[in-house]
Amino acid sequence: MKQERRREARDLNYFWEMLSMAQKFSVSELQRFGYELSFVRQQEQQKVAVLKAGLKMASIDEDGQINTAPKVFLRD
């Protein structure tokens, strides 16, 4: 039986280590505005960092490009 991964508590260092250097820089910039790294999602051949600040969300691609209106669907 496949284990449900989203129920596992993850240390944010786990996600931090998955990021490229460009993503780490962009995450640090968004943290200045109250965003926090929530998770990293594998999409096609790249990893996308997803951050939250209250009800606002942002995503960062592997090149460090920030999208403050991402189309990210969250599961309950």
Side-chain angles (χ1 to χ4, degrees):
M1 179 177 217
K2 185 176 177 181
Q3 183 177 359
E4 182 65 45
R5 292 181 304 166
R6 62 186 162 151
R7 299 282 185 231
E8 295 176 17
R10 297 268 191 205
D11 182 355
L12 288 181
N13 286 329
Y14 171 82
F15 294 120
W16 182 258
E17 294 302 320
M18 296 173 71
L19 301 177
S20 68
M21 188 58 66
Q23 284 174 312
K24 288 178 180 181
F25 179 78
S26 294
V27 167
S28 295
E29 287 297 309
L30 284 177
Q31 285 176 332
R32 294 177 25 196
F33 299 99
Y35 284 86
E36 293 182 9
L37 179 61
S38 293
F39 59 90
V40 177
R41 181 175 283 174
Q42 180 80 28
Q43 291 185 329
E44 298 171 12
Q45 296 298 322
Q46 68 171 321
K47 293 180 178 141
V48 176
V50 178
L51 296 87
K52 292 182 187 177
L55 297 176
K56 298 184 290 185
M57 291 182 67
S59 66
I60 304 171
D61 67 17
E62 284 190 344
D63 295 327
Q65 294 295 313
I66 298 170
N67 180 353
T68 57
K71 293 182 180 174
V72 176
F73 298 100
L74 301 177
R75 297 177 274 189
D76 292 330

